[in-house]
Amino acid sequence: MFFKNRKGQLKRKYDQKLLTQMELLKEKWEREKFLLNHTVDVNENLKKQVQLAEKKYFYLFKEAKARKININDYKK
């Protein structure tokens, strides 16, 4: 019984961490995408940074989907 409760607490804690990381990565991705769209001299390094930020965000998105996280349960 004790372990079942602890398991639920740990899952909730790490789900919350995952959602926080997703928010941060989404903001970073949007910031870099904005910079790429408004830069006159676009280089390959900037494009790769935007692609990497996008891939990181969608990786965490897939992880959240696999864990069946309901975002409404974790709203602040």
Side-chain angles (χ1 to χ4, degrees), residues 14-65:
Y14 286 105
D15 287 351
Q16 182 63 42
K17 278 187 170 187
L18 177 65
L19 291 174
T20 302
Q21 284 296 321
M22 284 180 65
E23 288 176 20
L24 294 173
L25 281 172
K26 184 176 182 183
E27 290 172 7
K28 180 179 179 184
W29 172 40
E30 289 175 345
R31 230 182 6 256
E32 290 181 359
K33 190 167 53 169
F34 177 82
L35 182 63
L36 178 67
N37 291 335
H38 290 83
T39 302
V40 176
D41 184 25
V42 178
N43 59 17
E44 286 299 314
N45 190 25
L46 185 58
K47 286 181 183 180
K48 288 182 181 181
Q49 284 180 336
V50 172
Q51 290 174 345
L52 183 61
E54 179 183 13
K55 287 179 182 181
K56 285 180 181 179
Y57 172 72
F58 280 107
Y59 175 78
L60 291 182
F61 187 82
K62 287 178 186 177
E63 181 66 26
K65 188 175 179 180

